[in-house]
Amino acid sequence: MMFWVTLVLLLQTTFSLGLIFLRTHSAKKTLAKPGQGYESKLLQWLNKPQLAFPFGILKAGAVRSRLISHWGSKLTTYTNFKGTDGFETLRDDPREIKGIIEKLASFDNEDKLEISGDHHNKKTLYGFFHPYCNAFGGGEKVLWKAVETTLDHDLNNVAIVYTGDVEASPKQILDSVMLKFDYKLDTSRIVFIYLKKRWLVDSNTWKHFTLVGQAFGSVVLTIEAILKCPPDIWCDTMGYPFGYPWVAHLLRIPIVTYTHFPVISTDMLDKLQKNLTLKNRLKYYYWKLFMCYYKHVGTYVTIATTNSTWTNNHINKIWTKSNSSIIYPPCSTEKLVDNFTSIDHRSNVGVVLAQFRPEKRHDLIIKSYAEYLKNRNETNTDKLLTLRFIGSTRSQADKAYVLELKQQVIKLDIPIDNIEFIIDCSYTEVKEHLFNSTYGINGMWNEHFGIAVVEYIAAGLIALVHASAGPYLDIVDKDIGYFFVDPSDPDYNKERGEQFPTLDKLFELTETLDTDSKLTKSKLGEKKALDKFSDEKFDVSWTDIVLHGLEKKDQ
C-alpha cells in the first residue's frame, strides 16, 4: 500500500504542476526566450554590473542562452560554477562586458536587435545532459567524443554540458578528459552548467522504489538544467529519459538519445514471471506499470541511438516508434594498435580494466582465480597467470569496494604478488599495462557493450569474457577470445553450463596455449577493433546519424 501511495503522489504532483504551468503560460516563450525588451535591461546591467541581475529564475537561463548564442565572445564566461545566479564570472570580465555592450549599442532600436539576435551569427547550442561527466567510464568516453565530433562539425556549434560535479572546475574536468581519454577539445566552445540536485538521481537516495525515485529525480534535474540554460538541441548521453516530456513541452526542441542500457527491460519482467511468489507478483506489476511510462517517454525522442546489439534490440521493443540505430562507442583503437609482430615482450598477466563497481563482478574474478590456483599444477610456475585490476573510483563507496576486494584476496589466501590493484591511473599508463599483458578479462553479466573489451583486442590481448550481451554479440568471437559463464549468473541453466566453461577453467586453458596461437588471436582481434570500433568510426556514425539527421529534420 505504501508503494502505491508513494507512486501516485509522485506522478500526480509532477503532472499536475506541469499541466498548470503549460495551461497558464506559453512555456517556450517563457523559458527559451528572454522576453521583449530584454536587451535594454541587459545593457543597463552591463553598464553597472554591481546592480542586481534584472532577470528572475524563469528568464535568467534564457538570457544566458542568448548571450552564448548571439552576443558573447568568450563563451566559457557563462558557466555557473560556484555561482549563485551564475553570472559572477561575467561580472569579473570587463573585456567581455565591453564587447557585449558594443554589440548591443551598435543597433538603434529593439526591432533591429531582435532581428540581429535571430539571424546574425547565431550559434547552435547542443545541450549534453550528463550529470556524472567527471566519472571517466565508458559512458563518459562517449560523451566527450560526441562533444568533440559535434564541435568539429560546425564552428557555430556550442556544447552545453550539464553536470552535477559541483566541486570540479571546468578546467579540472577538461584537463581530466585530456589525461584520461586523450581527446583534444575546442574548450572555447564548451560551457559547463552545474546542477545542484544530482543527489536526486543517486540510487543511495532512494533506498526503496529506486526506479520511481530516480525517475522523479531525473525530472527535477532536467527542469533545473532547462531553467539554467535552455539549449537548441537536447542530447541525453547518460540515460535519463523521464525528463524528455518536459524538454519537449517546455522547449519544443529535438531530443537526441544515446542509450547505454534500458532503464527497465523485458528480460527483467520475464525473470519475475518465472517465479511469481507474492513478493515477485507485486514487483512484477510495479515494473509493468513503470515499463508503460518508459514506453511513453520514448515517443518524444527525435533521434535514438544505442551502444550495442543487445541494447538496440531492447530499445526497439520498448520504443517501437524510435527506429533506433547502433553507434558503437569510441574505443580509441587507433591509439592502441602498435602493429606488433611478436608477443615475446608480453607478461603472462590478465588485465581487468573496469570501474570499481560491484556490477563489474571483480569478486567473481578473484574467486575464480583462487579456484584456478587451488587446482593448478604448482610445478608449472613459468606459465602461472597473474591478475592486474585497473580502474577508476567515483566515490567513497567505490573506494570502500576496493578495500573489500583486497580483503577478499587475503581471505582466499591468494599470494599478494599474484594480484595487483591500480586505481585512477592515466590513459598513458593504461596503454602501457595493456601492451605488456597477454589477456583481458571481463566478468560482468549482460555488459551492455564493453569498451574495455574492445581496448583489450585492439591492444593485442586475448579476451576472456562473459558469454552475454555486448562482449558476446558484438565484440569477441571464437577466433579472438574465449567465453565463460558462472552458476551465479541470473540466467544460468544446465544448457549454458554445458555450452560454456567457468572462468577458472579458462584460466587453466591459458597455460595450454602456444605462442603461435596467441599471436594469431592477437592479430585478428587487432584488425577487428580497427575496422569496427575506432574513434573515426564513431565520428562518421555520429555525424551521419545524429548531426546530418538533425539537419534533414530541420529542412
Side-chain angles (χ1 to χ4, degrees), residues 5 24 98 381 449:
V5 172
T24 56
K98 181 182 178 183
T381 55
F449 178 66

Side-chain angles (χ1 to χ4, degrees), residues 17-31 58-59 249-250 252:
L17 290 173
L19 286 173
I20 292 170
F21 184 87
L22 291 172
R23 287 172 181 170
T24 56
H25 295 78
S26 172
K28 182 172 175 62
K29 184 177 180 181
T30 301
L31 295 180
L58 293 180
K59 295 294 184 184
H249 287 305
L250 297 180
R252 309 288 180 186

